Amino acid sequence: MSTAIAADTVVTRPRPPLRPRVIRWLLTLAVLVPALWSAFGLQISWEQIRSAPADIWRLLVAMFPPDLSPEMVERALPKLMESLWIAWVGTAMGAGLSFLFAFAAATNVTSTWAANGTRMVLNAIRAVPELLVAMVLIPVTGLGAWTGALALGIHSIGTLGKLSAEVIEGIDEGPVEAAAATGGTRLQQIRWGMVPQVMPHVVAYWLYRFEINIRASAVLGVVGAGGIGAELVSQLRFRDFPRAGTVLFLTIFVVLAVDAVSARVRRRIISGQPEPGPIALFREMVGWQRALAAVAVVVVLALVVFILFQLQLAL
Amino acid sequence: MISDRPEPPRRVSSVLLPLLMILAAFTVGAVIPDPTGVVWGLAASGGTIFALRRAGIAIGGTGSAVVVIAGVASTSLTVWLAGAETFDLTPSSTFVLGLVWLVFGGAVGLIVGRLGRPSAGTNTALMWAGAGALAAPMAVTLDLLSPGEPDLTARAAMAVLIALVGGASTLSAATGIRGLAIGATVLVITVFAGAQVGFSLIGLFQNLGAMGDIPNFWPPDFNWAIGEGTWWWLPSWDFGSPTLASPLLETFRIAILGSLIGCLVALPVSFLASRITAPGRLSYLLDKGFMNVIRTIPDLFWAMFFVAAVSIGPFAGVLALIFFSLAIMAKLLSETIDAVDTGPLEAARATGGSHFPAVRVSVLPEVLPNYVAYALYILEINIRASVVLGLVGAGGIGRVLEAQRSFFQFDRVLAVVILIFVIVFIVDQISVALRRRLV
Amino acid sequence: MRGAGIAGPPRRRRIMIQFDDVEVTYRGGLRALKGVTLTIVDGELVVVVGLSGAGKSTLLRAINGFVPITGGSVRVGDVRVEQARPKELRELRSGIGMIFQTFNLVKRTSVINNVLMGCLPTVPGWRSLLGLWPAEAKERALQALERVEIVDKAYIRASDLSGGQQQRVGIARALAQQPTIMLADEPVASLDPVTSHTVMRDLRRINRDLGITTLINLHFLDLARAYGKRMIGLREGELVYDGYIDDVTEETFREIYGRAVTPDDLLEGAEL
Ligand SMILES: Nc1ncnc2c1ncn2[C@@H]1O[C@H](COP(=O)(O)OP(=O)(O)O)[C@@H](O)[C@H]1O
Ligand SMILES: [Mg+2]
């Protein structure tokens, strides 16, 4: 069979090269050795691993259904809102300050030397996790949401500054040159040549950071820097699993909603085109997808109404 | 023949004056002593009509009348509600105020919506309603309004907040300048959020000034951190607890194991979560939806969950990082797969290969370098995440931090944080250098 | 020596592909094929010409089931394509090689890995998933590369090859399937004139030496003239010509193209 396509011409075949195989082996070693070192060094017992699925399942079952009593909702929801406000303020601080830093850290705005220095500072800020920033700040600014917002703001300067600087470095230099050619000052060149180009991407990064900061602010409560985290810690400490379930459930719910809206806005900003609305999306679906979407919408609406009723919003 | 010049696009500055008019009319009207709120309403609606005219929006006699009636209705209802004894700023009173301002917003929106897109009118109405609903609680948070006693300053504060958001959205809907409404809304939300978290610059400076007085804060206690060693040139890094396996090594081990397993699991999961490589639409939607849910849960929540499930220790930390990495990798990789050229996959299908082998030979090689780069990135994130796992009992150096924090040994906390900073910084630089070579 | 690959009149030989009144309507309502009926027998080399959008690709892709037909029937060998179950369809495809205008190579892997793709149907799933190709598959891939004379590039990344070399890897991938039918959708549209001739010669040689039934979509008339034996003309989804290429006149092209031939329709821009 295999002679069916054989050619009569005789061209010498090359030998399979050695390099890729060696590299593959080295890579495998580079992954395996640290993995084994970690696995054996952690001294996790087989017993623990074997019983883990059952343990996890038991906890999940204990958390379900979550406690959605008016008392718990009224307790958890304001804390969750606090997490949102912390994330918003932290992102706003980070966005504002990082915007200045970003131009300083872009090689096509300042000198290479200054840019690299600024970049180093931004990297350094980025290296400290938000929670640790909060821990260090607590003795200075005290326990509470303000410390949390400050911690998020500081960390966001690092991440947003780096990303924005990369956007600025990636721009088309044409408009800047055009602005220079008209005799504009350096500041005018930046304002009219650069800012309009980078703004959509930078704002998209701000929104993206907001999504991340919500998750970060949710855990700040662990060290006493405000938000929903402290609630989860205490409910788990008292082994009140349905209430811990409430915290998790509400967090997932709110973060999903914010993610969905933010992702939509980001796409809208980047593409510059209006996104298809929910009705247009629904029209495109086929039968079972419509059924699924309808069920999802009804369930979500029912949940929102239910939670609002628990807050005694009813007139 | 003279050709018509196109109308130049409107600039934000062209509507700033009208916006100021609306603001002024609302505020001035609000501070005029009048228990019925009618004067406020007349001033507010009059100012709005005048501002719309200034901005070049034709508003006829009937339109003006409707706006005036709606304005008086909204303001007098607000004053009446705020003055009534039942007004105590519950969620329901907020809700009612929203409805009240929907009246005025609806009237303005009707006129704006007739000009162009109906959606602009709807947006306007909703923004006025939202501003009305939030104005009272915002004014309270900003210390401008004490519940139960709506005096004139309180009315003015509410008026400013409502007029800012409502006026900006009206003008931007009417002129097509989107930035105006967005800017005003973001401004108001930021002020409100700042008040909620207790933002205070003065307080911050006072705190910073008093930093020297904090006990056990400065200088960081490095001697304690590095400990005594068997040899003088090799400190033990035991952070004062020689009985425990070095917490720093434990941190690395957790990060490495969690990243590795998470990334391995993420490989098949990502292929199911991409439109291009999922075997069917249903499995795609389910996997993608599940991953979106997983992704909402922060690292420490995972850690707390697993500590509660499998007890304290590094095992919980590894499990937490597995799920944390899985969620990130699945998102990054599935989006990369979505963007891949589908030609090779089509070629593989044309040879008669079944689905997964065809995907394996055609798509995997294209995304493999990205996968490795993402894995390095995830290792980098996980090292940062793993240092805090110990705060909730999931192993690693965080455990030491938590212990010292509870004894208010901030100098030791500071020493550990600085140490972590140095390590993470170095790991970051290595990882970035490696990733740059990959893709 | 045009069309020397076929000995004897077509109707004596086994029917490979049979279109009966085939209709293709895409989602959105565009009718891409309108009642096409044609027969292709074993070992033929057929060129399909027509303007862009005439339905050439659709015709080809209906043969291996990439485009579901909405009326009539397509028979390949003994298989009714429109009725084939997924597994039968995969079996059918394993006997049909396909060559693409944009080559569709996996750029980030070696040439031989690309050609091994052609062995997918004959290799157990787990082996291909792990990348553990059996020795006979590798042998087959190397032979296919030898046939298109680029075996020396076997271990080079596909992205490092020139356009013409990439298309020959594409042909080798199809050959590795040991197909009985070869479908080439504008195989030279992305190549320069000289390379175009090399690739076309390769295709004709394969058709002659291995007796593989070959369908080639072409945009350029002079290439069709030079390499085809039988020509099919499509215009707006309708079959407007089916016959020997030697019988083709200026008038025929006018019918297919709806206008006179211009230099743009020729690869080398020369007169016909
Ligand atoms: N997947 C598709 N969906 C909808 N219409 C298509 C699709 N593919 C091709 N068409 C349309 O069908 C017609 C024929 O296309 P095609 O067979 O690709 O023509 P050709 O290959 O001759 O240029 C064209 O009008 C094209 O726009
Ligand atoms: Mg085509």
Side-chain angles (χ1 to χ4, degrees), chain B residues 336-428:
Chain B
T336 307
I337 296 171
D338 279 338
V340 123
D341 172 22
T342 54
L345 181 59
E346 181 166 77
R349 292 232 172 87
T351 68
S354 13
H355 180 76
F356 286 108
V359 166
R360 156 71 180 82
V361 297
S362 62
V363 181
L364 185 69
E366 297 282 21
V367 297
L368 207 53
N370 302 73
Y371 175 67
V372 177
Y374 295 151
L376 278 172
Y377 170 66
I378 281 172
L379 179 65
E380 187 187 317
I381 298 181
N382 275 350
I383 284 183
R384 219 170 299 163
S386 67
V387 299
V388 296
L389 288 175
L391 293 177
V392 295
I397 187 110
R399 180 174 70 205
V400 179
L401 279 171
E402 178 62 15
Q404 298 307 321
R405 188 179 74 97
S406 53
F407 295 131
F408 303 105
Q409 297 280 2
F410 295 120
D411 50 349
R412 294 183 172 175
V413 170
L414 203 55
V416 178
V417 169
I418 292 174
L419 205 72
I420 289 173
F421 157 70
V422 171
I423 292 167
V424 173
F425 187 69
I426 293 170
V427 170
D428 276 6

Side-chain angles (χ1 to χ4, degrees), chain A residues 1-9 11-17, chain C residues 139-140 142-144 146-147 149 151-152 154-155 175-176 178 210:
Chain A
M1 207 30 205
S2 66
T3 50
I5 54 168
D8 6 307
T9 48
V11 186
T12 43
R13 292 179 179 179
R15 290 171 59 83
Chain C
E139 175 61 28
R140 195 132 57 94
L142 287 168
Q143 282 180 8
E146 277 166 350
R147 165 98 17 211
E149 292 168 347
V151 73
D152 52 321
Y155 300 101
L175 276 180
Q178 300 179 326
L210 303 178

Side-chain angles (χ1 to χ4, degrees), chain C residues 26-27 30 32 51-58 185-186:
Chain C
Y26 282 111
R27 260 174 63 178
L30 194 127
L51 283 172
S52 176
K56 305 186 293 294
S57 301
T58 308
D185 192 356
E186 310 220 12

